[in-house]
């Protein structure tokens, strides 16, 4: 099974500042058929299901603000919130879909 | 509009059984793999099981293999999760999600509590 490791576990950032979340997979999630990384990022707020933000490691889901950006390839990936807004307070998860589904442990983002 | 609505959760005693349902609408249900994902209180997301479009291929997390059975009824646009030999570690909100590579659509979840 592919293990996803996220860091940090929590993060406090001032409004308007950058938040960076890292995710590492135990093996490559590069899908050879399309040369894209099978890596997604989700946002989850209390009492709600996860919301898809990014797929194929860097493709923003429709309607997601452009302050959310995904990057990385192979086994190392990053979610960046370029200018943190109050409504971005949430837990963020990475997920690989190369082989069934595996989630990272989550990163709680708070306002400093 | 794609909708996924879970039901069937509740309080069950250790060793008991429960069947969850996920009613799907707004898309051609039989065209999609479907997943069950769970989240224990205050914890992260854990994949539980998946099934292909015609129900002929299934897979399970090691933690539920042999105890849980995923199935679907495409005529009723409904996904199921039969859960047996439940233990406290199975207490969680159970979500169904539509596959599409990344899971774009999720239900609101149904809470399963295993306790005496």
């Amino acid at each position: 099974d592919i293990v996803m490791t996220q860091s940090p576990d929590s993060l406090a950032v001032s409004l308007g500042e950058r938040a960076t979340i890292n995710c590492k997979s135990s093996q490559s999630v590069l899908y050879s058929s399309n040369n894209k990384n099978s890596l997604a990022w989700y946002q989850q707020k209390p009492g709600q299901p996860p919301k898809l933000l990014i797929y194929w490691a860097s493709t923003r889901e429709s309607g997601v603000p452009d302050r959310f950006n995904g990057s990385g390839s192979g086994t190392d990936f990053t979610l960046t919130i370029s200018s943190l807004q109050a409504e971005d307070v949430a837990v963020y998860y990475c997920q690989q879909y190369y082989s069934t589904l595996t989630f990272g442990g989550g990163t709680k983002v708070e306002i400093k | 509009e794609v909708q996924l609505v879970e039901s069937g959760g509740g309080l069950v005693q250790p060793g008991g059984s429960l069947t969850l349902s996920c009613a799907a609408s707004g898309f051609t249900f039989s065209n999609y793999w479907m997943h069950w994902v769970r989240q224990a209180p205050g914890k992260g997301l854990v994949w539980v099981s998946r099934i292909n479009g015609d129900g002929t291929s299934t897979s399970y997390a090691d933690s539920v293999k042999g105890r849980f059975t995923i199935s679907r009824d495409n005529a009723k646009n409904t996904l199921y999760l039969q859960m047996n030999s439940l233990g406290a570690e199975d207490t969680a909100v159970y979500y169904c999600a539509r596959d599409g590579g990344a899971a774009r659509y999720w239900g609101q979840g149904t809470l399963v509590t295993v306790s005496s």
Side-chain angles (χ1 to χ4, degrees), chain A residues 101, chain B residues 4 6 22 33-37 79 95-99 103-107:
Chain A
L101 302 179
Chain B
L4 299 170
E6 301 94 340
C22 169
W33 289 71
M34 296 292 296
H35 298 271
W36 286 101
V37 175
L79 173 73
Y95 296 101
C96 62
R98 194 188 85 172
D99 190 64
R104 178 169 286 110
Y105 298 103
W106 297 67

Side-chain angles (χ1 to χ4, degrees), chain A residues 9-23:
Chain A
D9 293 337
S10 63
L11 185 60
V13 176
S14 300
L15 288 172
E17 296 300 306
R18 178 185 301 258
T20 301
I21 301 169
N22 300 302
C23 177

